Amino acid sequence: QVVGGPITLDGVEHVTFNGADGNADQFDVANYGALTDVVVLNLNTGDAGGADETDTININTAPQQNDTLRYTPMTRFTSTLTRAEGGPQINIAGFRGHNETSALSVAGGAGGEDSMEVFGLNSPSIFTVSQFSPSNVLVEFTLSADGVNNEPGIPIDFANIESLVVHGGSGNDIMNVAEGAAGLIFLSGGVTFHGGAGIDAIGFTGATTVAATYRVGPNPDEGSITHVSGGQTPVTQRVNFTGLEPIFD
């Protein structure tokens, strides 16, 4: 805890904030992507196991800029977030965020075109994408998804970001699009799944009634699937894919 107000950092490249086990820590990162000397930001909420303290991490990007955010869940307690255009690498540790779907949240700044990219590892991964709320999209992860060594990764939800790109690793990866209570996923730039190496698949689940359009190509493992919901205010969900084998719709 900082007592007496903010601390100004000048010429400091590495910054670490440590929470405490047993406390509900909250870390807020504001204006991510703005000019700074910091190159590495370590956020350790300090969870050593046991009960979940519902720690939260909230990251907001600076306004009026184009952001390409790249998120990789490493284990159930660790992950990294970087910005392609520059800014510190954010390392997250000691974080039991896999128990709380809204524990790690990112909000894009006003203006600009922003994209969230998420990455799998070199073992089979399952990505589950859903419209978490009217304004937030949620991505959940199952790491080492071989049916035996399944491990949850730290989920991430985001708002005010125009597109989502999911990168599979070298394993057999699956992306599930869950069309749940909040409806279809509405991102103006759509969702793209790059399956990568291995035998990869994409699936759609949910009870939402849609009009579906499937387009193939230009290569045999590429295409797009568009779902349009009915009602007075139709929502269009567009999913592009490359490097896939079977598709379940």
Side-chain angles (χ1 to χ4, degrees):
Q1 181 179 4
V2 177
V3 179
I7 295 176
T8 299
L9 302 176
D10 185 12
V12 178
E13 289 78 22
H14 294 256
V15 177
T16 299
F17 291 97
N18 292 313
D21 192 19
N23 294 332
D25 301 305
Q26 177 177 324
F27 293 160
D28 296 323
V29 179
N31 286 327
Y32 183 48
L35 186 63
T36 178
D37 292 328
V38 177
V39 296
V40 176
L41 175 61
N42 298 311
L43 304 178
N44 189 334
T45 63
D47 286 352
D52 183 10
E53 294 86 25
T54 62
D55 301 318
T56 57
I57 298 175
N58 303 301
I59 301 170
N60 299 322
T61 66
Q64 305 302 322
Q65 61 184 17
N66 298 327
D67 300 305
T68 305
L69 304 175
R70 294 173 173 169
Y71 178 71
T72 305
M74 308 298 291
T75 70
R76 69 178 63 201
F77 301 116
T78 62
S79 61
T80 64
L81 179 72
T82 61
R83 178 175 178 269
E85 295 79 8
Q89 173 173 309
I90 299 177
N91 299 318
I92 297 171
F95 187 52
R96 294 177 63 88
H98 63 280
N99 290 337
E100 302 288 339
T101 53
S102 59
L104 174 60
S105 297
V106 177
E113 289 288 325
D114 303 323
S115 176
M116 174 67 70
E117 299 187 17
V118 298
F119 291 81
L121 304 177
N122 292 327
S123 56
S125 299
I126 298 175
F127 309 87
T128 301
V129 184
S130 63
Q131 190 73 38
F132 181 59
S133 70
S135 60
N136 285 58
V137 172
L138 171 68
V139 186
E140 299 173 272
F141 307 90
T142 303
L143 310 176
S144 301
D146 57 5
V148 178
N149 300 307
N150 292 0
E151 178 175 353
I154 300 173
I156 186 168
D157 72 83
F158 58 88
N160 201 30
I161 290 177
E162 285 69 37
S163 63
L164 169 66
V165 181
V166 178
H167 298 270
S170 60
N172 300 332
D173 304 308
I174 299 173
M175 185 180 79
N176 291 322
V177 179
E179 299 168 351
L184 301 183
I185 300 167
F186 176 69
L187 295 171
S188 60
V191 179
T192 299
F193 180 38
H194 298 301
I199 300 175
D200 308 305
I202 186 172
F204 296 79
T205 61
T208 303
T209 301
V210 300
T213 302
Y214 174 40
R215 290 184 172 86
V216 182
N219 294 315
D221 62 349
E222 299 176 6
S224 66
I225 298 175
T226 301
H227 285 181
V228 180
S229 64
Q232 295 182 343
T233 309
V235 173
T236 299
Q237 170 186 280
R238 179 164 49 86
V239 178
N240 306 305
F241 59 86
T242 67
L244 261 63
E245 284 71 31
I247 297 172
F248 307 100
D249 188 5

